[in-house]
């Protein structure tokens, strides 16, 4: 699956200078890892965000937020945010910040 290069650029801009940042093609798109832990990614025109299981469950009640499904199975702790939820820079900044904050709680890999 291809990913939206424009969205990837916006995510890069939000993450600018984040220590321990690595980009890696995975999940059919582009993932941004912080100290080896995925924080956010771009899959098609959706933003993929890694959150705690509880925060992901809460986020699924919001507009433009959907479960991340791969191989027919939902992945706990991951959500997809459709363009309506990340089109405004402030919304993208919030989602990226949430993903990075969660990744920072995990042990470096």
């Amino acid at each position: 699956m291809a990913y939206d290069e424009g969205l990837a650029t916006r995510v890069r801009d939000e993450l600018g200078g984040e220590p321990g940042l690595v980009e890696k093609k995975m999940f059919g798109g582009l993932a941004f890892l912080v100290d080896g832990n995925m924080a956010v990614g771009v899959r098609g025109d959706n933003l993929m965000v890694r959150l705690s299981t509880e925060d992901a469950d809460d986020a699924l009640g919001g507009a433009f937020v959907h479960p991340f499904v791969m191989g027919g199975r939902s992945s706990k702790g991951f959500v997809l945010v459709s363009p309506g939820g990340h089109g405004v820079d402030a919304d993208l900044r919030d989602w990226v910040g949430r993903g990075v904050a969660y990744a920072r709680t995990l042990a470096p890999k």
Side-chain angles (χ1 to χ4, degrees):
M1 171 182 281
Y3 59 88
D4 182 328
E5 291 284 352
L7 178 56
T9 297
R10 291 177 61 219
V11 171
R12 279 186 201 100
D13 290 346
E14 287 299 326
L15 290 168
E18 187 69 39
L21 181 68
V22 172
E23 292 182 30
K24 186 175 184 180
K25 289 187 178 182
M26 57 192 298
F27 297 120
L30 182 66
F32 296 87
L33 291 79
V34 176
D35 291 332
N37 294 296
M38 190 193 145
V40 294
V42 179
R43 189 165 194 242
D45 62 357
N46 294 301
L47 180 70
M48 183 171 38
V49 185
R50 185 175 185 190
L51 303 167
S52 70
T53 302
E54 182 178 300
D55 287 345
D57 288 344
D58 290 345
L60 287 171
F64 308 110
V65 181
H66 311 280
F68 173 65
V69 178
M70 189 157 189
R73 296 180 58 185
S74 291
S75 296
K76 297 274 186 202
F78 290 87
V79 297
L80 289 178
V81 182
S82 60
H86 62 69
V88 175
D89 288 343
D91 293 337
L92 179 68
R93 186 174 307 115
D94 178 60
W95 284 113
V96 170
R98 291 173 68 181
V100 169
Y102 180 67
R104 290 272 179 226
T105 69
L106 304 172
K109 292 184 178 178

